[in-house]
Amino acid sequence: MEGLGRLEYRGYDSAGVALVDDDRVATAKRAGKLTNLREALAENPPADSATAIGHTRWATHGGPTNANAHPHRGGTEGKLALVHNGIIENFHSLRQSLLADGVEFTSETDTEVVAHLVASAYADSGDLTRAMQDVVGTLEGAFTLLAVHADAPNTVVAARRNSPLVVGLGDGENFMGSDVAAFIGHTRKALELGQDQIVTITPDSCDVINFDGTPSEGKAYDVTWDAAAAEKDGYDTFMEKEIHDQPHAVRDTLLGRTDENGQLVLDEMSITEQDLRGISKIVIVACGTAAYAGMVAKYAIERWTRIPVEVELAHEFRYRDPVIDENTLVVSISQSGETADTLMAVRHAKELGARTLSICNTHGSTIPRESDAVLYTHAGPEIAVASTKAFVAQITASYILGLYLAQLRGGSFGRNAAEVLEELHGIPAKMSDLLGNLARVKEIAYFMADTRSVLFLGRHVGFPIAMEGALKLKELAYIHAEGFAAGELKHGPIALIEPGQPVFIVVPSPSAENGLHGKVVSNIQEIRARGARTLVIAEEGDDDVVPFADEVIRIPATSQLLAPLLTVVPLQYFSLQLSSAKGLDVDQPRNLAKSVTVE
Ligand code: AGP
């Protein structure tokens, strides 16, 4: 249950456990939050057991009901229990053939089909590992499966394809989970697994085979996140903790990026420098907040490398016929490294011959494992569903990539990489100052608790930040919010402005190029003249905005391309506070899961 509690953020509309007790398997499962399951177990305590599996669910096939909650039993005697993450794409045909064999189902899920298949295979072979191996070969789609059987005591067998699974190696005990948070309270020795692998654990053994039965072994590593790192550090919510963790996330992502000669290096690079010099286009693929990090990165990478950069929503890129070749570098950005849309986009890119690089926050996850090169962010475990510290770490990592490519390819900018890195190293301190001055943002949020619509405007790198600010408000406060490019106002959106309409405006530094600052100040005037309530995010000392601002939220002065790392912070904090003011669940907003591992 402790492990399930730490995994709840991955999806939480039902939960359940199964325990092997002598010659039977006891199960308990409940729809709703984990507390419902805890109550059920308190009412009917199961017998003690040292062999158990558990699951928190984010519904895909079948609604969030007790019957559809995992574990699902298989076999006529119900001696097998199984839990599953992912989607079995051919489950309809498998279910039909089981129904034809007289199997009776108690749920609508694809998971129960697998439970019956494994139970049937076990009846044939009497070996749970062999049974799992016989079944996974018939499954199409993405899955992590864990199974126990009353006749196979002290044993848990798991299988994974395109879905997360990691092993925890303890002393006289072993664990498996979707990520290390499930067992870091018990062991920090972990085993990273590859694609299409089956793991069999007992208290004293851990055996890994490939789906074809050939022996294999995972890649051992030590988990640096201790239990405390995933706790709240005294904040009310994980999100608030993680917003305040952002200086560390930037700082840690910058750590160890240069060699003894001050040259930038990447984590795992199996693309040759020659190939990187030949890159003629970069395409960034990501979803949600990660996509907005990519939009920010575009401005910096194009400026520093003169390589054209396209930013594509992964689920759009995946289903169109993009112009990609071996001189294209496809950069995926993903906190979890398991987002199915992004994973499929990376695979699509590889099929088209592109080089692939993953910017990811989760070591050992699927997307970096399937990419040619990896640049890990070091934001630590991000528990809140709404991404904050991972976002600023993604931007930081994108800057590192841009500077690395500029350095590699020479050109006018290559020489200045050190200057930008120097300024980047100064961002955490500026963030800390800013985080200490957000009291007014909280007051504004509580004052606006009943607002029904908020608009966000930004220009240049402020535009993706406006989009991210709107997304935060949607996913946390469940109200209509929309981000616009400030220059787009007069092309339609200004019709939305009416007296009292709250509008956040992200203002470029007065030192920004191309007169962008003055243009945005004009935008503020235009909407203020029509009655908008202007909430302006502006650099310290920028007095031009004061006559047209109902509120001015100050950020420390920084250069134009690095400003997003700071301008996003008040918007994150505003959404957190508005959600709290409305009494909503900040860390686990409705309908959302932390990692969307299905397409
Ligand atoms: C951000 O607050 C959301 N939780 C969501 O948009 C998220 O960024 C997106 O699903 C991508 O997730 P990933 O970074 O794990 O791939």
Side-chain angles (χ1 to χ4, degrees), residues 18-27 73 78-81 148-150:
L19 303 92
V20 177
D21 160 32
D22 289 342
D23 63 348
R24 58 186 291 273
V25 171
T27 59
R73 290 175 180 274
K79 284 192 161 188
L80 178 125
V148 291
H149 196 290

Side-chain angles (χ1 to χ4, degrees), residues 170-174 202-204:
D171 179 10
E173 55 183 7
N174 288 316
T202 69
D204 304 309

Side-chain angles (χ1 to χ4, degrees), residues 287-290 333-337 339 385-387 394 471-472 475 596:
C287 301
T289 289
I333 301 179
S334 176
Q335 190 284 131
S336 63
T339 298
V385 167
S387 184
Q394 288 161 355
L471 175 61
K472 283 284 153 306
E475 60 179 333
V596 184

Side-chain angles (χ1 to χ4, degrees), residues 271-299:
I271 308 174
T272 65
E273 292 196 351
Q274 182 184 346
D275 288 342
L276 284 174
R277 288 195 182 90
I279 294 297
S280 59
K281 175 164 81 168
I282 293 173
V283 178
I284 297 174
V285 294
C287 301
T289 289
Y292 298 138
M295 286 172 68
V296 170
K298 169 188 170 76
Y299 292 89

